[in-house]
Amino acid sequence: MTCSDHQAPDSNGSTPNHVRTNGIAPHHHHPQPIVSLDHGDPTMYEAYWKKAGQRCSVTMSGFQSLSYFGDGKTLCWFMEKKLEDEIRKLHKVTGNAAIDGKHIVVGTGSSQLILAALYALAYTLDISNPVDVVSAAPYYSSYPEMIEFLRTGLFKWSGDARCFDKDVPYIEFVTSPNNPDGSTREAAVMNRGQLGMLVHDLAYYWPQYTAITSAADHDLMLFTASKCTGHAGSRIGWAVVREENVARKMVKFIEMNTIGVSKEAQLRSASVMELISLSCQKRKPCDVESFFDYSQCTLADRWKRLRDVVTKNQLFSLPKFPSHYCNFRREVVQTYPAFAWMKCKEGIDGERLLREHKIGTRSGRRFGWEAEYVRVSMLSRDDDFDLFLHRLSTIQPTANGNQN
């Protein structure tokens, strides 16, 4: 019983008159809670991991993992060898990244690795002015927020990569598939020459979201367990880095920032990745369902239902995606992004409209875009997603094109 369940008695010890209704407690109207689809919290994956049961459980004794140091002999001195092995295996199984001869750097989520990459690249330039950092709009909303939060003298946020025309060194984030709109991206700055450095954020380049058309082979690539396996709470990300000096600088940043990465989180993520790789094999235990099949089917169903609602209410529109041959699945597949990039009719503030109907989203303005657009997470729990669709379906345009 909560504090609000207790009623203070009258002076005579009886229940106050205003709460007595012939022995029946009066009905109190509670406002509807907001369905929060602002963050990409990947709780959609809970159902799969519940089915997996204890297969990914990690038990550690009190004497284990006391040291700062990992048990491997790699450049990233705080990384557990089992995690590096499982990362390399998963990339081999899916074919989404070329990793042979490259260094793996583990971080506390890709957020820490983004800053580590910026530090490493800017440091190698050794110039007096902050390095310009850009990304093509609509860009990941956390790029400018993280960069401006630090107020560092090493780098600064300089906005949309398509508008960048300075003849100076710069760093460009290439997010592909892109967050928020799900599109496939390449570098956007024209005439890059020798001045530009690229960071490829490939958080969503996994078979449940898009076709694996080739093994990405870039100088610096970022991945995260959050969007790969759904374990956002473990805060595990990793970078695949070609140049040793850049990898060493990234490791130094993490060393100075957090003196490494949680061993418990590393070993849990390694166990999860091991099961995912196993689930992709033709000869796997009969009680192990393919992780990527399950995830893709769930997303495909959600996208179909969302498109049905959007088609009926005529207030919103969604991007269309081309089909591509997927080397992992060996067939042509559709694209099912982790976020829906919804556009409201011109002149309508999308975030404000949806919040009035108890749907929390992220405004396009946060992504360097128009207010008519909103980003909606497709990775929530089933109940939240169903409630979102129900509320969205109740928003109807009036005769003048506005909404009720």
Side-chain angles (χ1 to χ4, degrees), residues 304-375:
K304 180 182 183 302
R305 292 160 60 204
L306 175 58
R307 289 191 186 278
D308 289 344
V309 171
V310 166
T311 300
K312 290 176 182 177
N313 68 21
Q314 299 180 347
L315 257 177
F316 310 94
S317 60
L318 290 165
K320 295 182 179 179
F321 304 100
S323 301
H324 293 289
Y325 184 82
C326 177
N327 293 331
F328 171 75
R329 297 189 181 281
R330 299 182 180 180
E331 63 181 0
V332 175
V333 300
Q334 301 287 327
T335 297
Y336 303 110
F339 297 102
W341 186 234
M342 288 195 348
K343 182 184 180 183
C344 296
K345 279 195 172 182
E346 193 168 347
I348 299 178
D349 186 316
E351 182 186 35
R352 181 177 178 181
L353 166 63
L354 293 173
R355 181 162 289 275
E356 288 173 354
H357 291 79
K358 305 298 183 181
I359 302 171
T361 61
R362 189 169 298 188
S363 171
R365 288 173 293 191
R366 296 272 299 277
F367 303 90
W369 213 244
E370 291 89 0
E372 289 92 342
Y373 286 82
V374 291
R375 191 193 73 172

Side-chain angles (χ1 to χ4, degrees), residues 44-49 51 208 289-300 302 329 382:
M44 177 193 84
Y45 294 102
E46 283 180 350
Y48 179 89
W49 294 112
K51 291 180 183 178
Q208 67 266 51
E289 181 180 4
S290 167
F291 174 78
F292 292 120
D293 285 352
Y294 169 87
S295 305
Q296 186 191 52
C297 288
T298 303
L299 283 167
R302 291 186 174 194
R329 297 189 181 281
D382 287 340

Side-chain angles (χ1 to χ4, degrees), residues 361-400:
T361 61
R362 189 169 298 188
S363 171
R365 288 173 293 191
R366 296 272 299 277
F367 303 90
W369 213 244
E370 291 89 0
E372 289 92 342
Y373 286 82
V374 291
R375 191 193 73 172
V376 181
S377 173
M378 300 292 287
L379 301 180
S380 64
R381 294 182 178 92
D382 287 340
D383 289 347
D384 288 336
F385 190 77
D386 293 343
L387 185 54
F388 157 62
L389 291 183
H390 171 70
R391 291 180 179 175
L392 188 67
S393 68
T394 65
I395 309 174
Q396 298 296 331
T398 60
N400 63 4

Side-chain angles (χ1 to χ4, degrees), residues 19 47 76-77 96 130 151 169 171 219 245 250 254 276 299 308 315 342 387 399:
V19 297
C76 187
W77 55 266
N96 67 340
R151 297 181 180 272
I171 300 170
D219 290 342
N245 64 321
M250 292 181 69
I254 296 170
I276 292 177
L299 283 167
D308 289 344
L315 257 177
M342 288 195 348
L387 185 54

Side-chain angles (χ1 to χ4, degrees), residues 17-230:
N17 289 332
H18 69 276
V19 297
R20 290 202 304 267
T21 315
N22 297 325
I24 301 174
H27 173 72
H28 296 286
H29 175 72
H30 296 287
Q32 289 182 322
I34 290 179
V35 179
S36 180
L37 301 177
D38 176 8
H39 303 283
D41 200 19
T43 50
M44 177 193 84
Y45 294 102
E46 283 180 350
Y48 179 89
W49 294 112
K50 283 181 180 179
K51 291 180 183 178
Q54 300 300 311
R55 283 185 174 274
C56 297
S57 296
V58 177
T59 302
M60 299 182 69
S61 300
F63 67 87
Q64 291 179 285
S65 297
L66 269 64
S67 174
Y68 289 116
F69 298 90
D71 55 4
K73 297 180 180 179
T74 63
L75 178 149
C76 187
W77 55 266
F78 44 80
M79 181 167 57
E80 292 291 300
K81 184 177 186 302
K82 180 172 176 59
L83 177 62
E84 180 177 12
D85 291 345
E86 294 304 330
I87 286 172
R88 291 184 180 277
K89 182 195 299 183
L90 189 57
H91 283 304
K92 290 280 189 180
V93 168
T94 59
N96 67 340
I99 57 171
D100 289 344
K102 296 190 178 74
H103 304 280
I104 306 293
V105 178
V106 66
T108 304
S110 62
S111 299
Q112 186 181 43
L113 290 165
I114 287 170
L115 296 176
L118 290 173
Y119 166 79
L121 295 177
Y123 192 91
T124 58
L125 289 172
D126 192 24
I127 59 177
S128 57
N129 296 322
V131 181
D132 292 285
V133 182
V134 298
S135 186
Y139 42 70
Y140 177 37
S141 58
S142 288
Y143 290 152
E145 292 168 0
M146 286 192 290
I147 292 167
E148 291 171 354
F149 181 81
L150 284 182
R151 297 181 180 272
T152 177
L154 282 175
F155 45 82
K156 65 177 182 178
W157 176 249
S158 295
D160 189 351
R162 296 190 182 93
C163 302
F164 186 78
D165 58 0
K166 297 180 183 178
D167 190 22
V168 294
Y170 67 91
I171 300 170
E172 180 181 355
F173 277 100
V174 182
T175 311
S176 186
N178 190 44
N179 174 1
D181 63 6
S183 62
T184 301
R185 289 285 187 87
E186 295 181 355
V189 176
M190 303 299 291
N191 303 317
R192 186 162 66 95
Q194 301 299 315
L195 297 175
M197 294 175 289
L198 302 180
V199 177
H200 283 80
D201 189 340
L202 306 182
Y204 304 94
Y205 192 47
W206 295 100
Q208 67 266 51
Y209 304 117
T210 190
I212 305 302
T213 56
S214 64
D217 188 10
H218 307 290
D219 290 342
L220 203 166
M221 301 180 285
L222 302 180
F223 298 90
T224 173
S226 171
K227 300 307 184 291
C228 170
T229 74

